[in-house]
Amino acid sequence: MIIGVAGYALQNSFAYSLQASLEKRLRLQVYLMIGAAEMQDGKLAIPETQHQLRQGDETFGFIHTHLGLLQWESTNAHELSDKVRDSVAATRIRIGDTRFIYFEDENLYLYQYPLQWESGGMARRYLFSIVENGAQLSAELNAYRTQLWGWLFAVTVLALMLQTLITRWGLKPLSALVEDLHNIERGYSTRLAGYYPEEVQGVTDSLNHLLHTERNQRERYRNTLGDLAHSLKTPLAVIRGAGNEQMLYDGYRNVVEDQVRRMDQIVQYQLARAVRSQTNTIAKATPLAPVIKRITSALAKVYREKNVDVSLLLDETALFGADERDMMELLGNMLENAFKYSHSAVRVSLTKEADWVQLDIEDDGPGVSREMRHVILQRGARVDTSAAPGQGIGLTVAVDILSSYDGQLEVSESSLGGARFKIILPIG
């Protein structure tokens, strides 16, 4: 469309320039007529010996009085139609003005120039007119149009070809991306390993991150099922052993009921972990400060006998893209450990940086030994509560949730005297 508009503008510009050139040429012809004109028998005329107008079908000259009376005309003027001749004679123009018009039906151009002629002590007004056939101008314009639109058509075809090539070249990385995704779908690959330009690299990095997270979730799901089977072995073994001991009915019933409750708790817990592992990959941003306030408020009531002094330093704008239930589980386990093993003080700090959110949970309890710090941070490690009081299954769940979000957990000493758990959650 732009090329078409440009071609139309160039065509009109060239037509205007041709008409302006023709008008100048006709003006010169009129000046030649004025220079050759002289009075003959009371009329202003051009002698044949000085008539310099071209003869034939192209140029025609006239001299009229200001009232339209014919004084002189070229020998070929009779070839013009009465319509044109009448239009030439009927013109009234003030001295100093000119007239240049186009007779579209006749393909003729008319230029008229009025002047005041002094002769014999008298001044009279005359109108010099010249008419020229527009065939030559039309031929030049048609030739220009043919060349112009021919070149514009060639440019358009070339531009379309270049655009097609550029589009195919630009979409080539996307075709490679589709092929890599098909390989992942068929099981030939586990990630997008091809080289992609900078404009597409962000998408591929995000997809690789998503694939990596999904693989971790599937692994976590399998581990959860294994943990469930392993955890049920002990209650079943206790029930089987109680049956072999020939216990009284009431005693055996109490053992069975106790172990059934334990198995129910194990099943509910492991099912909750399995559900979280499938739904926390993509989630809306969760405000962390309100979650921390709710949990600490509830824990303060649970441990009211200890009268724990809770200090909250929270950035209210801190958000993290995670399932709120995961955040409740993670923060609940971490904060409950702090309340459980503190003597009288717990401090929670929440800060937001450009690329991550940091949460520090500190207490004034016994802390965590250096040897146990390494053990509890190993993915999937089971810590015996008898060896490290308070570092049981709750902390294991917290570590698993953090791993699903590529978070980090660091354990160190707190300025309060107990343990300091620093949680880093990456944004983006």
Side-chain angles (χ1 to χ4, degrees), residues 230-249:
H230 183 270
S231 300
L232 291 176
K233 289 181 180 180
T234 300
L236 291 174
V238 172
I239 294 175
R240 188 181 300 110
N244 294 333
E245 293 178 0
Q246 302 296 325
M247 299 177 60
L248 295 176
Y249 174 76

Side-chain angles (χ1 to χ4, degrees), residues 247-261:
M247 299 177 60
L248 295 176
Y249 174 76
D250 290 340
Y252 182 73
R253 179 180 177 181
N254 290 335
V255 172
V256 171
E257 289 180 352
D258 184 60
Q259 296 304 316
V260 168
R261 283 195 300 271

Side-chain angles (χ1 to χ4, degrees), residues 23 42-43 55 80 129 265 327 332 405 410:
E23 182 179 2
K43 292 183 178 181
Q55 303 297 318
L80 295 176
S129 303
Q265 293 173 354
M327 292 297 99
Y405 290 104
E410 298 178 7

